[in-house]
């Protein structure tokens, strides 16, 4: 059984990341240690634990070198609450847009989902049994109407349950009685211009509340009914107050927030309105990172022990362009390196989800077998490196551009090669990409 993130030593975390991310060992080591320190902190005595706070990290490097992919893979490994946010989505308080406190609310929501999924896993068999019984109750009237006979016997019910478990009735329609809903659309910030419209909308919501107070029958598939009933049964057997409290403690003690594109909120030394607004976002983020209490609908969340990992290309700015107070809250910095042709070759071949494996699988669906020679992959890697050096450096994403251009004709005419084995050789690469590489203008616009 795979270990959970909080059970893994730093070396094991790095090994897990190595399956998907090539190079960048410094960044992977730093993040692995930071995550492990969260677990170590939990074992300290209370007095010491309060003094040990997370060492937040900034990852610096060009686009496409693995910053966001590290976050994505950590999220998949994590049994700790984790969210990834874009710094550019937030606005200074007083402006229209998302306020920075919403990232903490999103983290709490992620923590709640995590705890609920764990509770479901513990009682999955019990929930599945209840759901299947309820689906049978919904399904029997439909089947009896079709057969024009009663099917409510123990033997018949057992047979139907067996078929249901095999997915035999998933696309059948059943009649489900929905529960009444009392959902408000919400009120926006009131202004003289929209005040009347918003109040009328709210009044309409209350009218709809009474109109929807009676349950309604609707026809849905067994597959959809299973999703609805599973949630209903889980709500019945789980103590919601305990789940919320557990989720709140996890968000506070083990939560991880990854802030991407943090370089985009750097002010660049002038005083135009856009840069002033960017600095305002930084100042709003500062108390969240320093440690403050944020009110959510599930209770107050203390952000003191949440780990923040920020990332940015810093191509048009540098970390020192952040306000000094915010820089101080990210004491650990690591620079991710530009990718070389050797790195590109490893990216094409080594990861569990390697690009070459993806293209082979895609063409296999058309009954076309692709085979890449090592020389061809080496040449593709060199072309990707040259394209990055001569135009904008977009890191590993360049491989997708090169591969799409290389296989464009084959993908378009896949039906003509059905049942064939197509070998991609060094000569094939030269034939498809040679003219583009030689022509700098073409390289700039096509690759």
């Amino acid at each position: 059984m795979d270990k959970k993130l909080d059970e893994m030593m730093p070396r094991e975390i790095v090994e897990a990341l190595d399956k998907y991310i090539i190079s960048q060992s410094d960044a992977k080591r730093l993040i692995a240690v930071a995550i492990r320190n969260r677990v170590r902190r939990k074992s300290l005595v209370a007095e010491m634990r309060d003094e040990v706070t997370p060492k937040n990290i900034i990852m610096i490097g060009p686009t496409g070198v693995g910053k966001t992919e590290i976050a994505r893979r950590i999220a998949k490994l994590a049994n700790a609450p984790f969210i990834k946010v874009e710094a550019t989505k937030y606005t200074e308080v007083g402006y229209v847009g998302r306020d920075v406190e919403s990232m903490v609310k999103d983290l709490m929501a992620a923590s709640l989902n995590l705890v609920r999924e764990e509770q479901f896993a513990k009682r999955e068999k019990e929930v599945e049994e209840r759901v299947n019984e309820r689906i049978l109750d919904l399904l029997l009237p439909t089947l009896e109407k079709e057969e024009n006979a009663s099917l409510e016997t123990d033997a018949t019910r057992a047979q139907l349950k067996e078929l249901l478990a095999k997915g035999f009735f998933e696309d059948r329609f059943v009649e489900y009685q929905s529960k009444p809903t009392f959902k408000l659309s919400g009120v926006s910030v009131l202004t003289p211009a929209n005040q009347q419209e918003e109040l009328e909308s709210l009044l309409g919501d209350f009218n709809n509340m009474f109109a929807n107070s009676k349950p309604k029958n609707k026809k849905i598939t067994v597959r959809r009914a299973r999703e609805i009933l599973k949630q209903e049964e889980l709500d019945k057997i789980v103590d919601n107050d305990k789940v919320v409290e557990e989720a709140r403690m996890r968000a506070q003690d083990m939560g991880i927030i990854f802030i991407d594109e943090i370089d985009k909120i750097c002010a660049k030394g002038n005083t135009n309105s856009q840069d002033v607004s960017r600095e305002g976002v930084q100042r709003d983020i500062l108390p969240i990172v320093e440690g403050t209490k944020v009110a959510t609908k599930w209770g107050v969340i203390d952000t003191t022990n949440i780990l923040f990992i920020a990332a940015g290309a810093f191509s048009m700015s540098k970390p020192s362009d952040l306000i000094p107070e915010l820089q101080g809250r990210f004491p650990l910095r690591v620079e991710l390196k530009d990718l070389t042709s050797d790195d590109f070759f490893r990216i094409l071949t080594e990861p569990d989800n390697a690009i070459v494996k993806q293209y082979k699988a895609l063409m296999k669906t058309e009954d076309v077998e692709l085979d890449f020679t090592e020389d061809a992959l080496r040449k593709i890697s060199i072309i990707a490196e040259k394209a990055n050096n001569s135009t904008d450096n977009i890191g590993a994403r360049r491989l997708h551009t090169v591969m799409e251009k290389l296989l464009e004709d084959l993908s378009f005419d896949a039906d003509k090669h059905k049942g064939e084995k197509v070998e991609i050789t060094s000569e094939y690469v030269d034939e498809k990409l040679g003219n583009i590489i030689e022509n700098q203008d073409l390289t700039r616009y096509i690759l």
Side-chain angles (χ1 to χ4, degrees), residues 167-186:
F168 192 78
F169 298 110
E170 293 301 291
D171 295 321
R172 283 293 193 102
F173 280 87
V174 294
E175 198 167 85
Y176 169 75
Q177 190 175 72
S178 63
K179 293 182 177 179
T181 56
F182 307 102
K183 186 177 180 181
L184 296 177
S185 60

Side-chain angles (χ1 to χ4, degrees), residues 104-122:
V104 181
K105 297 171 185 176
D106 291 344
L107 182 70
M108 178 59 193
S111 184
L112 195 63
N113 288 336
L114 185 67
V115 175
R116 286 179 66 83
E117 285 172 7
E118 288 180 1
Q119 292 290 325
F120 171 70
K122 288 178 183 176

Side-chain angles (χ1 to χ4, degrees), residues 263-322:
D263 56 314
K264 302 299 189 297
I265 59 169
C266 284
K268 301 186 178 59
N270 52 40
T271 56
N272 67 46
S273 60
Q274 187 179 20
D275 281 344
V276 170
S277 178
R278 287 170 177 169
E279 187 170 316
V281 176
Q282 292 182 56
R283 295 197 180 280
D284 287 346
I285 289 177
L286 181 60
I288 304 290
V289 180
E290 279 185 333
T292 188
K293 290 180 170 60
V294 176
T296 74
K297 63 182 179 181
W298 303 284
V300 175
I301 306 296
D302 187 345
T303 68
T304 303
N305 295 310
I306 293 172
L307 175 64
F308 290 87
I309 303 172
F314 290 98
S315 55
M316 305 293 290
S317 58
K318 49 190 182 296
S320 58
D321 289 328
L322 293 167

Side-chain angles (χ1 to χ4, degrees), residues 89-93 97-103 105 284:
K89 289 185 179 178
Y90 299 100
T91 60
E92 187 179 357
V93 170
R98 298 198 74 187
D99 66 275
V100 295
E101 287 191 352
S102 66
M103 70 173 70
K105 297 171 185 176
D284 287 346

Side-chain angles (χ1 to χ4, degrees), residues 195-206:
Q195 181 173 304
Q196 183 64 32
E197 182 182 339
E198 290 294 343
L199 290 175
E200 288 176 0
S201 174
L202 187 60
L203 183 61
D205 283 333
F206 280 110

Side-chain angles (χ1 to χ4, degrees), residues 78 110 190 348:
L190 291 178
L348 285 170

Side-chain angles (χ1 to χ4, degrees), residues 161-387:
K161 189 183 292 186
E162 189 176 332
L163 291 172
L164 194 63
K166 293 178 180 178
F168 192 78
F169 298 110
E170 293 301 291
D171 295 321
R172 283 293 193 102
F173 280 87
V174 294
E175 198 167 85
Y176 169 75
Q177 190 175 72
S178 63
K179 293 182 177 179
T181 56
F182 307 102
K183 186 177 180 181
L184 296 177
S185 60
V187 181
S188 307
V189 177
L190 291 178
T191 65
N194 72 358
Q195 181 173 304
Q196 183 64 32
E197 182 182 339
E198 290 294 343
L199 290 175
E200 288 176 0
S201 174
L202 187 60
L203 183 61
D205 283 333
F206 280 110
N207 290 334
N208 289 335
M209 187 181 292
F210 292 105
N212 295 332
S213 60
K214 294 180 180 180
K216 295 180 179 178
N217 290 333
K218 58 181 181 180
K219 286 192 174 183
I220 57 175
T221 62
V222 167
R223 183 179 287 103
R224 177 61 183 145
R226 189 184 300 282
E227 295 172 3
I228 296 171
L229 297 177
K230 189 180 289 185
Q231 192 61 50
E232 288 182 7
E233 291 300 325
L234 188 60
D235 288 339
K236 289 179 185 177
I237 65 176
V238 170
D239 187 330
N240 203 49
D241 291 337
K242 286 183 179 179
V243 167
V244 169
E245 184 58 24
E246 171 68 16
R248 194 174 67 83
M249 295 305 295
R250 284 205 203 178
Q252 291 183 152
D253 295 335
M254 296 297 291
I256 303 171
I257 296 180
F258 184 92
I259 306 176
D260 206 0
E261 308 288 358
I262 197 167
D263 56 314
K264 302 299 189 297
I265 59 169
C266 284
K268 301 186 178 59
N270 52 40
T271 56
N272 67 46
S273 60
Q274 187 179 20
D275 281 344
V276 170
S277 178
R278 287 170 177 169
E279 187 170 316
V281 176
Q282 292 182 56
R283 295 197 180 280
D284 287 346
I285 289 177
L286 181 60
I288 304 290
V289 180
E290 279 185 333
T292 188
K293 290 180 170 60
V294 176
T296 74
K297 63 182 179 181
W298 303 284
V300 175
I301 306 296
D302 187 345
T303 68
T304 303
N305 295 310
I306 293 172
L307 175 64
F308 290 87
I309 303 172
F314 290 98
S315 55
M316 305 293 290
S317 58
K318 49 190 182 296
S320 58
D321 289 328
L322 293 167
I323 59 174
E325 301 92 329
L326 191 58
Q327 289 181 54
R329 295 308 299 170
F330 288 88
L332 303 183
R333 297 182 185 179
V334 60
E335 187 170 353
L336 282 76
K337 302 171 185 174
D338 287 345
L339 299 173
T340 65
S341 61
D342 288 338
D343 292 328
F344 285 135
F345 180 78
R346 294 180 60 200
I347 290 169
L348 285 170
T349 56
E350 289 184 17
D352 287 358
N353 62 341
I355 296 173
V356 168
K357 295 175 184 175
Q358 294 175 25
Y359 279 99
K360 283 184 176 181
L362 285 171
M363 296 307 294
K364 191 71 175 174
T365 63
E366 304 280 5
D367 196 21
V368 178
E369 186 177 347
L370 278 184
D371 184 37
F372 291 81
T373 66
E374 183 175 335
D375 286 345
L377 295 176
R378 291 283 180 192
K379 183 152 285 188
I380 292 168
S381 304
I382 292 169
I383 289 171
E385 184 183 36
K386 283 182 178 179

